[in-house]
Amino acid sequence: MRIVDCDYFVVGSGMAGLMSALHLAAYGKVTLVTKGRLADCNTNFAQGGICCVMDPSDTFDRHARDTMIAGAWLGDTKVVHEICEHAPEGIRDLIDCGVKFAKKRDGSWDLTREGGHSSRRILHAGDITGEKCESAMIRRVRRTPGIDVREGVIAIDLLMTKRLGLAGENRCIGAYVMDKATGEIYAVRSPNTILATGGCGKVYLYTCNPDTATGDGIALAWRAGAKVENMEFIQFHPTCLYHPQARRFLISEAVRGEGAELVDAHGRPFMRKYDPRGSLAPRDIVARSIDSEMKRTGADCMFLDIRKRGRKYLVERFPNIYQTCKSFGIDMAKDLIPVVPAAHYTCGGIQATTDGRTSIRGLSAVGECACTGLHGANRLASNSLMEALVCARLTAARLGPHPETWETGKGKPPPPRLRRSSHGAVKPEIPEWRTGSAVPPDEAVLVAHMWDEIRRLMWDYVGIVRTNKRLDRAARRIRTLRREIRDYYFRYLVTPDTLELRNLAVCAELIVRSARARHESRGLHYTLDYPRMAKRPKQTVLPGFHG
Ligand SMILES: Cc1cc2nc3c(=O)[nH]c(=O)nc-3n(C[C@H](O)[C@H](O)[C@H](O)COP(=O)(O)OP(=O)(O)OC[C@H]3O[C@@H](n4cnc5c(N)ncnc54)[C@H](O)[C@@H]3O)c2cc1C
């Protein structure tokens, strides 16, 4: 089996992965794998923008307070302040990569506003901010020596010393990966593995996330024994375009920020019935209100009305959204835009510090796959790209000058089954990937069915409004499905689809377990059985799998 060695092993090529790789390349050899093309990631789809206090009338304290309020006071105040305060450095990193954020005629930043923000503090590049950032970072990564980019390579499982039978403290030393084009399975060996694999939006039937968002990193880390936190908090974006041909197209919150009202089919605004902030209430409230109006009236969707802004403004400010709506026969300047809520963002994830440290030595987590304490029970709009930027920077600042190494510590003899590499460093041996008696899969339809079943049952039983009964039903079914998937996994040779299915099922189980453990309604977790918020905020921490 081939083994690829590197100082830093980054999994994922969104904002978190590319920025981590760019910073770490200054310190050593980086290998970056991504399971699709580099631009296949949530980052590429971000529309609204990136939060950062830039206006002299705004303050970090106000940004931190808005974040805490949106997060229903479950966020970690220290973490929230730290990330908000480091945001300007992260923005500078992007500008260095060549990102051109929108400016006004007088040369000042054209800051926009989204739900839950008390000030205009969102930098944007039209309504394709993510795409602009992603392409600028990709260009920079391709030009940076020392970054070995491997597209179409999916991480299968983390390499843990204890599981491999190596002595010493249990630590992560890389991962088995599969080249999707050839089917070859090999190992990437590194004392520093950085998961930047994004969220698990695909666990729900309706989502605005691309196909890559199958929660792989969260499942890999949990299987390796890492703690995961707050998985019950899944953010549903309230306004996904509702059209049979529009797969996962989002109508950015910035559209409401610029004056759009949520209305019913007769053009009647309804949000003030639910919240005094109306259409600019935080996302969880807006999503629940739309869900409630749809259930109450039996309608298939609700609508956004931004006709008052006029065509010229809409074409200039939202060129991508305007054109996409037009391609579906909806003229934003004349028509109401049909919208429904859809799974959007994973607030929980691998328990991690702002500088990426997880509960496993040698393993870091950055971006949407991590739970740092910034979002609490609900993410404030446009705080996620900021978190990815800042945490990539802080992780590199920790791992760059003080990386984990293969050395075993002062005075200790090297553990058994370790050998010296050509550079004189001690490297652990990695066993061949074992296929056992697995045979090529002959019933791919089973995988497709299990995949559909998980996504539908999560949508039906673990969605925007939850109950104990629905969660119990989901838990029972997921347990059975996980057993079936496990059998399938060992019986047949692995394929990218089975790997993703296995990870999706783990994420579904973690979400349900966390939701059942929370006996209150807070932020994104709303249950009819415990409709009130508990007095004391508490995180839901699940221990990693130890099997
Ligand atoms: C439609 C949409 C609009 C959004 N708008 C905004 C916005 O305006 N502002 C904002 O702040 N946030 C926004 N978000 C959220 C934001 O885009 C994400 O939270 C952020 O991009 C996450 O970055 P990331 O690098 O952590 O993950 P991602 O960008 O999702 O990258 C994850 C990467 O990991 C790779 N990967 C996953 N598993 C594996 C594996 N097993 N092996 C190898 N590679 C793997 C994927 O292929 C991908 O490259 C939006 C999200 C969506 C979906």
Side-chain angles (χ1 to χ4, degrees), residues 11-17 33-38 40-50 114 153-155 196-199 208-210 212 216-217 220 250 344-345 366-369 379 382-386 388:
V11 187
S13 59
M15 177 80 78
V33 302
T34 189
K35 64 182 173 178
R37 306 296 306 261
L38 279 174
D40 296 338
C41 57
N42 278 14
T43 301
N44 206 39
F45 289 88
Q47 296 176 341
I50 310 179
E114 293 182 300
V153 173
I154 181 167
T197 45
C208 58
N209 286 194
T212 48
D216 296 3
L220 260 71
L250 202 74
H344 179 56
Y345 185 80
V366 184
E368 192 170 336
C369 69
R379 175 189 74 126
S382 288
N383 261 358
S384 42
L385 288 173
M386 173 187 76

Side-chain angles (χ1 to χ4, degrees), residues 3 31 54 56 99 109 141 143 148 170 172 175 189 227 257 277 297 338 379-380 386 423 439 447-448 470-471:
I3 297 180
T31 295
M54 301 295 255
V99 178
W109 297 114
V141 162
R143 284 206 310 265
D148 166 23
N170 192 26
C172 175
R189 177 170 52 190
K227 290 181 185 164
R277 289 164 288 188
T297 59
R379 175 189 74 126
L380 181 66
M386 173 187 76
H423 314 295
V439 296
V447 175
R470 290 180 196 165
L471 291 178

Side-chain angles (χ1 to χ4, degrees), residues 346-369:
T346 312
C347 291
I350 307 158
Q351 192 185 62
T353 56
T354 50
D355 58 3
R357 227 181 273 266
T358 70
S359 55
I360 290 182
R361 189 174 156 206
L363 181 69
S364 302
V366 184
E368 192 170 336
C369 69

Side-chain angles (χ1 to χ4, degrees), residues 304-354:
L304 274 171
D305 183 359
I306 188 146
R307 294 175 295 184
K308 65 184 174 203
R309 279 302 206 159
R311 189 178 319 277
K312 187 168 176 297
Y313 174 83
L314 293 173
V315 172
E316 269 173 25
R317 176 63 185 84
F318 301 111
N320 179 38
I321 298 176
Y322 183 86
Q323 282 310 331
T324 306
C325 285
K326 195 144 177 253
S327 69
F328 293 116
I330 302 158
D331 180 350
M332 288 170 76
K334 275 196 349 223
D335 304 323
L336 300 178
I337 311 165
V339 288
V340 283
H344 179 56
Y345 185 80
T346 312
C347 291
I350 307 158
Q351 192 185 62
T353 56
T354 50

